[in-house]
Amino acid sequence: MSRGSASMSDDLRILAELERKVLWLATWTIHHANHIRDNEDGLKVGGHQASSASLASIMTALYFKVLRPQDRVAVKPHASPIYHAIQYLLGRQTRAKLEGFRAYKGAQSYPSRTKDVDDVDFSTGSVGLGVAQTLFASLTQDYVRAHGWGLERPEGRMIALVGDAELDEGNIFEAMLEGWKQGLRNCWWIVDYNRQSLDAVIREGLWARYEQLFRNFGWDVVILKYGSLQRAAFAEPGGEKLRDWIDRCPNPLYSALVFQGGAAWRRRLSEEIGDDPDLRALLDRRSDAELAALMNNLGGHDLPTLLDAFAQTTHDRPVCFICYTIKGYGLPFAGHKDNHAGLMTVAQMNAFRTAMRVREGHEWEPFEGLSESPGTLQAFLDAVPFAARSTGRNKAPRIDVPEELPVPTQAVMSTQTGFGAILNEIGKQSTDFAQRLVTTSPDVTVSTNLGSWVNCRGLFARQSLADTFKDERIPSTFEWSFSPQGQHIELGIAEMNLFILLSALGLSHAINGERLLPVGTLYDPFIARGLDALNYACYQDARFILVATPSGITLAPEGGAHQSIGTPLIGMAQDGLAAFEPAFVDELAVVMAWASANIQQDGEATSEHSWLRNEAGGADYLRLTTRPIEQIRRTVTPELRRDIIDGGYWLRRPGPNCQVVVAYTGAVAPEAMQAVGLMAEDRRDIGLLAVTSADRLNAGWTAAQRAREAGRAGSLSHIERLLAAVPSHCGIVTVLDGHPATLAWLGSVKGHRVRSLGVEHFGQTGSIPDLYRAYGIDAAAIVAAAETLTPGRPIRHLRALG
Ligand SMILES: Cc1ncc(C[n+]2csc(CCOP(=O)(O)OP(=O)(O)O)c2C)c(N)n1
Ligand SMILES: [Mg+2]
């Protein structure tokens, strides 16, 4: 059948069939997982059937008609079964994965870019994040195109399917505000307005608040309240009264009547407005089933209404569609306030199977029980615009990164200054590498030292905007002019937005087929503010470099409230993120070069090093400081470079009779050096271990142990090699400006006794010496720890230090 000649009514008939099928498959998938598949742990998990059914019509309209291959969708987490069912019908998902829904390596409970095989555009699950991601994905698309890249591809729409309760998440509104500032386009948010959340029925009239809000931020708002059956009924005599009643009906009552069905509707409507003869006749013309169908026929379940609304939206301004829906639509618990975790019983499922005309044993057959011939249905599916999307992800070539980045030479400097200076040097070059870098910061561009880079490369905006201060000839250190060529995206303060933007920029290679090298800066403590978004960025395998500065108590007089303690542990624990805390600027340059390549890696993780994801790549986190320290004059040899990346090296190699090793990370390097110097007279052969990445040292160690347990006896990690020559009686004092647990595990590698110094409390302001003394990470504390840990004569300098 040629699609060109098919009429709209043919399409509608087929789409209605597919909608039934999608609902069936999704419902069956969940039922299968809970009632049929061997479920060893006996856990039955709801939270999908009702939520999915709510979106069945909207997603049918989108995927089988409206979406084009270049469009990208963030699907409401609990609609994952509907998504997988649709992909199954399109031949992009396997029956085995559906049968394994929620099982190990089966289709995921929430759509996952990395774990699902059916080309999920954005991972969702933590409500609110996927929604905002579409907004930032659209900004990213604009950024890429404004730089003249990927213009041969059509522009895509970034679409979010949003639960109404999902709109309670504040990050959505933070994103909207940013979208307004940045001139958002090509973004649709389709709200599944079923007026139910997880626990209950939501407040009355929220649609009106949303409408106002979206309009305030420059969005078009389209409200789809009534379906075509309802609109036809409103045109009948008495119909106006019916509409008026619907409009006044409180959410909980409407839901309750949906649940109870046709007879209950008739009773209620007769009681309340049945004295009108026209309305009574309108009701009498319908059977109970027809009346229920009429009252369930909300805009979000009416294909003609949905298709029409989507087809009429041809402009590129952002649009919010508020679609009235029924949670559990088409299922026995439709509308029931407790239905979020509802699971159909076996008896209910059998009745549903009969209604869907599905024979037992034929549940997974794509066209079972449908009226149209399989040939017609298959031809329709083959011709669906979205089906033209290629099955592989877009790929983008790697950008060459110089192995060595310029190291600014100042005798005394901080890693934060070094970071700004290195970027500034890169910014002066006209390499591909420099062109593809994009920086962003939530209102801390200047205070994280991105200023000179921004002076060099400019701020990004789709429309140019000059720097008024410059035009007025007012002297200023920073030029603040915007243009489509700019390479810095300035964000408002919301850190969530930073991470979601980094996630979007960091997926550009896969989504836009154009690689970006994103670098985001913020103050280290505020990682916690956006942590869930950072976690999701990593979960989707977005690639970016996060530069967090200043960090720890070392920011000293800047204020106790800004101290970060736990971030080194976040760096260790966060999957998909390699964390570094260099002490010296030459180390930083090594890490930045490596990280710029690491964010572009996409190989298979195979070797012993694979726990470090070197081949597979990932995102990177650099914890920096504002503390200027004396730099070491040295040449960075290839061996040293490798050690810095693997996580550590001997700054002073321990001798054969070594009694103490001091292992330090980051800003406390001078204290560690000083302590070693002071102890040298009284403890022999002291070693000084520079730990540039506790994360990678630890990950390598874990990987080596797993490898040995798996029979690869020769596997050895970097830290095991480093500590191999340290005698067993030797004690290790670890120290960093962060939680002491970060390095405390070093003692388990070879069984050395360890005393871990670090920061466990925060909030006190002071000078660096004051604070280091107060929290016990100064040279005196290191020496005292070493003395207690290792037998021998008293360390003479300790008294002087104290
Ligand atoms: C950040 C976060 N908090 C809590 C949850 C648990 N949760 C899952 S769905 C849901 C409410 C869903 O309501 P709504 O968005 O209206 O979707 P519906 O199921 O009605 O379609 C909640 C609280 C979550 N997934 N993510
Ligand atoms: Mg809801």
Side-chain angles (χ1 to χ4, degrees):
M1 183 176 69
S2 141
R3 299 305 317 144
S5 62
S7 70
M8 186 62 186
S9 64
D10 285 343
D11 277 5
L12 272 175
R13 220 181 43 249
I14 294 172
L15 284 169
E17 292 253 276
L18 291 174
E19 181 191 355
R20 270 164 69 92
K21 184 45 67 181
V22 163
L23 180 61
W24 162 261
L25 282 171
T27 309
W28 176 251
T29 300
I30 302 159
H31 186 78
H32 182 274
N34 281 296
H35 289 285
I36 297 179
R37 199 178 61 222
D38 260 348
N39 210 338
E40 287 166 19
D41 49 19
L43 285 178
K44 301 212 185 310
V45 181
H48 280 104
Q49 272 176 344
S51 276
S52 286
S54 186
L55 266 176
S57 326
I58 293 171
M59 288 177 69
T60 297
L62 284 177
Y63 280 93
F64 294 136
K65 188 77 186 171
V66 178
L67 292 183
R68 304 155 307 170
Q70 66 271 26
D71 296 331
R72 303 282 169 174
V73 187
V75 176
K76 182 186 77 168
H78 284 95
S80 132
I82 295 279
Y83 177 79
H84 294 312
I86 288 173
Q87 301 308 319
Y88 176 63
L89 288 177
L90 289 171
R92 303 163 74 96
Q93 175 60 290
T94 65
R95 174 172 163 180
K97 294 276 181 193
L98 293 188
E99 286 182 339
F101 177 64
R102 287 195 353 224
Y104 183 59
K105 303 242 169 170
Q108 297 292 300
S109 326
Y110 308 116
S112 170
R113 268 187 73 78
T114 47
K115 306 288 185 275
D116 275 317
V117 294
D118 48 355
D119 199 15
V120 170
D121 292 323
F122 305 109
S123 300
T124 58
S126 179
V127 299
L129 296 181
V131 183
Q133 177 103 15
T134 58
L135 183 152
F136 289 105
S138 179
L139 293 183
T140 299
Q141 175 174 260
D142 279 348
Y143 180 92
V144 165
R145 297 175 76 86
H147 286 77
W149 300 316
L151 295 174
E152 70 286 359
R153 293 170 208 266
E155 258 181 2
R157 281 190 195 114
M158 305 298 161
I159 300 174
L161 300 171
V162 191
D164 45 5
E166 198 166 4
L167 281 166
D168 286 334
E169 289 287 0
N171 83 275
I172 294 182
F173 302 101
E174 296 176 1
M176 275 169 76
L177 184 52
E178 198 58 53
W180 175 79
K181 292 185 208 162
Q182 308 273 353
L184 175 67
R185 309 151 65 225
N186 293 315
C187 189
W188 287 5
W189 287 356
I190 302 173
V191 180
D192 177 5
Y193 193 52
N194 60 24
R195 289 145 293 141
Q196 285 188 247
S197 62
L198 192 160
D199 285 334
V201 178
I202 63 172
R203 286 287 144 77
E204 296 302 325
L206 270 178
W207 65 272
R209 318 293 120 203
Y210 298 151
E211 183 185 20
Q212 203 56 51
L213 219 121
F214 277 92
R215 288 204 199 285
N216 280 346
F217 286 119
W219 290 55
D220 198 1
V221 179
V222 178
I223 298 175
L224 306 183
K225 181 163 184 183
Y226 318 107
S228 49
L229 289 180
Q230 291 191 340
R231 290 200 306 275
F234 299 157
E236 294 175 28
E240 283 296 324
K241 254 216 156 100
L242 179 65
R243 184 218 300 259
D244 182 53
W245 185 90
I246 292 177
D247 286 350
R248 282 185 292 106
C249 181
N251 290 340
L253 178 60
Y254 207 96
S255 295
L257 290 169
V258 164
F259 176 69
Q260 295 173 83
W265 280 115
R266 188 177 306 281
R267 217 175 309 120
R268 192 77 190 202
L269 288 166
S270 304
E271 267 168 35
E272 297 206 359
I273 45 176
D275 52 352
D276 181 306
D278 284 339
L279 190 98
R280 181 155 290 281
L282 188 154
L283 296 179
D284 289 347
R285 279 196 294 281
R286 287 163 171 89
S287 67
D288 280 356
E290 285 167 340
L291 183 57
L294 174 67
M295 299 307 282
N296 283 354
N297 179 239
L298 301 179
H301 291 302
D302 190 63
L303 289 171
T305 305
L306 288 163
L307 293 172
D308 215 42
F310 294 142
Q312 279 177 23
T313 307
T314 49
H315 60 77
D316 70 356
R317 279 183 298 120
V319 187
C320 171
F321 296 91
I322 299 178
C323 302
Y324 278 69
T325 53
I326 290 167
K327 189 156 169 172
Y329 181 74
L331 304 180
F333 42 51
H336 197 293
K337 71 178 172 54
D338 304 339
N339 66 9
H340 186 85
L343 273 180
M344 283 158 69
T345 61
V346 174
Q348 283 175 325
M349 197 62 199
N350 284 338
F352 187 54
R353 183 209 311 270
T354 309
M356 290 283 166
R357 297 192 290 150
V358 172
R359 289 167 295 163
E360 224 170 320
H362 297 258
E363 291 87 354
W364 297 109
E365 283 171 26
F367 305 131
E368 170 76 2
L370 301 184
S371 311
E372 295 289 338
S373 76
T376 306
L377 291 164
Q378 192 57 57
F380 183 92
L381 289 172
D382 291 344
V384 159
F386 180 79
R389 187 195 277 196
S390 66
T391 40
R393 294 244 159 94
N394 279 332
K395 292 234 177 317
R398 287 196 197 158
I399 308 299
D400 278 341
V401 179
E403 198 173 328
E404 283 179 49
L405 296 180
V407 183
T409 45
Q410 274 176 41
V412 177
M413 71 194 302
S414 70
T415 45
Q416 177 175 311
T417 309
F419 164 69
I422 292 170
L423 261 191
N424 186 33
E425 287 302 317
I426 299 170
K428 288 185 200 152
Q429 302 163 3
S430 61
T431 56
D432 228 18
F433 173 52
Q435 299 290 347
R436 293 278 171 162
L437 279 171
V438 49
T439 57
T440 179
S441 186
D443 203 22
V444 288
T445 297
V446 171
S447 48
T448 56
N449 260 33
L450 279 175
S452 40
W453 159 264
V454 175
N455 277 348
C456 214
R457 313 298 292 204
L459 292 123
F460 170 73
R462 279 194 303 114
Q463 259 102 38
S464 294
L465 188 68
D467 182 341
T468 309
F469 275 67
K470 189 175 170 206
D471 291 352
E472 296 291 323
R473 297 179 199 285
I474 301 172
S476 159
T477 321
F478 300 107
E479 187 176 332
W480 209 248
S481 36
F482 293 81
S483 80
Q485 291 77 44
Q487 283 181 250
H488 175 75
I489 302 178
E490 178 72 7
L491 292 172
I493 309 170
E495 283 77 14
M496 274 284 188
N497 282 343
L498 171 76
F499 290 115
I500 304 174
L501 175 60
L502 285 174
S503 182
L505 294 168
L507 289 175
S508 177
H509 53 285
I511 289 189
N512 301 305
E514 291 294 336
R515 195 176 291 283
L516 298 175
L517 307 175
V519 177
T521 67
L522 87 169
Y523 295 175
D524 194 55
F526 302 128
I527 285 179
R529 182 65 166 256
L531 192 52
D532 197 24
L534 171 62
N535 184 38
Y536 262 68
C538 294
Y539 173 50
Q540 338 207 30
D541 201 22
R543 303 307 183 82
F544 53 87
I545 300 173
L546 179 65
V547 177
T549 180
S551 57
I553 58 171
T554 305
L555 55 72
E558 250 205 74
H562 283 9
Q563 295 163 353
S564 58
I565 296 175
T567 43
L569 293 174
I570 291 174
M572 288 177 83
Q574 180 60 56
D575 188 16
L577 189 74
F580 294 89
E581 188 165 354
F584 301 102
V585 174
D586 57 0
E587 296 171 353
L588 172 67
V590 169
V591 173
M592 282 173 70
W594 182 85
S596 304
N598 183 50
I599 59 174
Q600 304 188 56
Q601 291 283 95
D602 59 1
E604 288 289 309
T606 48
S607 71
E608 178 227 311
H609 264 84
S610 65
W611 200 247
L612 300 177
R613 294 167 62 112
N614 281 357
E615 303 86 345
D620 302 289
Y621 158 39
L622 280 54
R623 188 175 191 250
L624 305 185
T625 175
T626 39
R627 181 187 190 192
I629 65 171
E630 199 172 324
Q631 301 295 302
I632 305 174
R633 280 173 189 277
R634 60 182 166 184
T635 312
V636 179
T637 61
E639 295 73 42
L640 178 56
R641 189 177 306 132
R642 192 193 152 109
D643 286 353
I644 289 169
I645 296 309
D646 282 352
Y649 62 92
W650 287 113
L651 203 48
R652 175 177 162 149
R653 219 166 262 285
N657 300 311
C658 170
Q659 292 175 298
V660 187
V661 161
V662 175
Y664 77 90
T665 282
V668 295
E671 282 65 31
M673 290 172 171
Q674 189 192 2
V676 167
L678 293 169
M679 288 189 283
E681 292 173 31
D682 300 304
R683 292 291 182 279
R684 272 179 294 172
D685 291 355
I686 300 178
L688 181 59
L689 184 66
V691 177
T692 46
S693 172
D695 176 28
R696 285 172 56 86
L697 274 189
N698 182 267
W701 177 50
T702 307
Q705 291 174 96
R706 283 170 69 111
R708 293 197 291 268
E709 287 151 17
R712 295 190 290 281
S715 304
L716 208 59
S717 63
H718 186 52
I719 188 64
E720 287 166 324
R721 271 184 230 110
L722 286 170
L723 295 183
V726 177
S728 57
H729 65 267
C730 183
I732 303 179
V733 178
T734 70
V735 59
L736 82 157
D737 179 2
H739 197 277
T742 311
L743 294 174
W745 57 274
L746 282 176
S748 300
V749 177
K750 287 276 164 197
H752 295 108
R753 276 170 306 130
V754 163
R755 165 75 169 106
S756 291
L757 305 178
V759 183
E760 291 161 283
H761 307 285
F762 87 109
Q764 186 58 257
T765 308
S767 67
I768 290 177
D770 283 347
L771 293 182
Y772 280 14
R773 190 178 316 115
Y775 291 102
I777 56 170
D778 61 353
I782 298 169
V783 173
E787 184 177 70
T788 313
L789 195 61
T790 56
R793 57 181 168 170
I795 296 171
R796 275 162 283 175
H797 288 288
L798 182 56
R799 207 170 297 280
L801 276 169

